[in-house]
Amino acid sequence: MSKHHEFSPSKLDRLASCPWSYCNCRGWAGEEGDDASRGTLLHRAIYDDAAYADLSGKEQGMIDFIRDEHIRPYAGMKMYHELFVQLFDAENRLLTEGTADCLILSPDGTKASLKDWKFGSYEVAPAAENMQVKAYVCGVFQKFPKLTTVYAMIVQPVYGSTDYDTQCEFRREQLPELLAEIAAIIDRAKIATEADANSTAENCRYCNKLHCRSFREKMEANFEIMAIRPGELTVEEQEMTLDYADRLVCAEKEIKDAMKRRTDIARKLILAAGGSANFRVQSGRVTKTTDWRKLARDKQISDDEIAAYTTETTGEPYLMPRMRRPKQLKE
């Protein structure tokens, strides 16, 4: 069983929008970052309690949502997790193969519910338009000959939606049409040239951007708009798409909101403790206010009394950074 087919279902949407990405990514090993590892763990946690225990509280909440909404209601029915499927054309040519997240069969084996879990922050196309889902649907029809209908949906718990309103019904008589659509995407990708590159595709984030001239030209146009020279940016900054920039600013806002509450608690803790390694406690801010009308009426009071009257300490105790002298180098 091949772990990653060259035309795996997860790549089909990218190939459909940018056929050149197939040639552009051949021999290129994309880095599997923390997000990919997290996604693998989240998928396994749906049916594996040991994996579930390794998740954070927020992540466990997403898994609880999936289990309550999409797993437990079907207890007792035939259910497959991480189901491996292969897809063949009319000439018995293997088009693609991959792993469907969850398949639930009806008792008579004629209907099935296909669910694809998505844990990323990118909103994906609904099942009716999603080529990855269509490939899994075809593979399921071929794997289970008795099936007449497959109800497919994409579940993205990060958006807090059950997505039943976007569930799509696929019938076995649609299989030839779906197979032809997938085969056409693959055949077009095999003969694509650089002229077929599409840098407006959202799937650029999964592609070999550094070796795509279309993408580089788009980024250079962005630099001109911002009046920034490419040499002034890091590689990651040069590859920033509008979509990524939008998510980055949203993330900053969420982090600031979360940090404000935590910082307020931290300040109270340091104040109550009388200081910390990096902050010392001040008793309060000193301000001077003068009531000139009253002074005019009470001209006989002394200068000390005036000073005492016009000086007051206001505000709560506050934190000031501790001043540190730089370490002197030994001669």
Side-chain angles (χ1 to χ4, degrees), residues 207-221:
C207 197
N208 184 6
K209 298 182 287 293
L210 292 178
H211 292 84
C212 178
R213 184 172 62 187
S214 177
F215 182 85
R216 302 306 301 175
E217 288 175 353
K218 183 179 72 173
M219 290 298 99
E220 288 172 3

Side-chain angles (χ1 to χ4, degrees), residues 42-43 45-47 59-74 81 102 115-119 155-158 161 164:
L42 284 164
H43 276 75
I46 293 171
Y47 58 88
E59 291 171 335
Q60 288 181 349
M62 291 194 293
I63 300 304
D64 290 339
F65 164 79
I66 290 177
R67 288 181 173 184
D68 292 341
E69 191 74 27
H70 298 279
I71 302 298
R72 291 192 177 96
Y74 304 95
H81 294 286
C102 181
K115 302 172 188 290
D116 191 62
W117 322 122
K118 298 294 185 185
F119 294 101
V155 180
Q156 288 188 273
V158 70
S161 171
Y164 279 108

Side-chain angles (χ1 to χ4, degrees), residues 260-276 279 281 316-319:
K260 184 181 185 305
R261 179 174 179 277
R262 288 170 174 78
T263 303
D264 289 342
I265 295 173
R267 290 182 189 280
K268 291 179 181 178
L269 176 60
I270 296 173
L271 286 168
S276 65
F279 294 93
V281 178
E316 299 291 333
Y318 66 102
L319 302 178

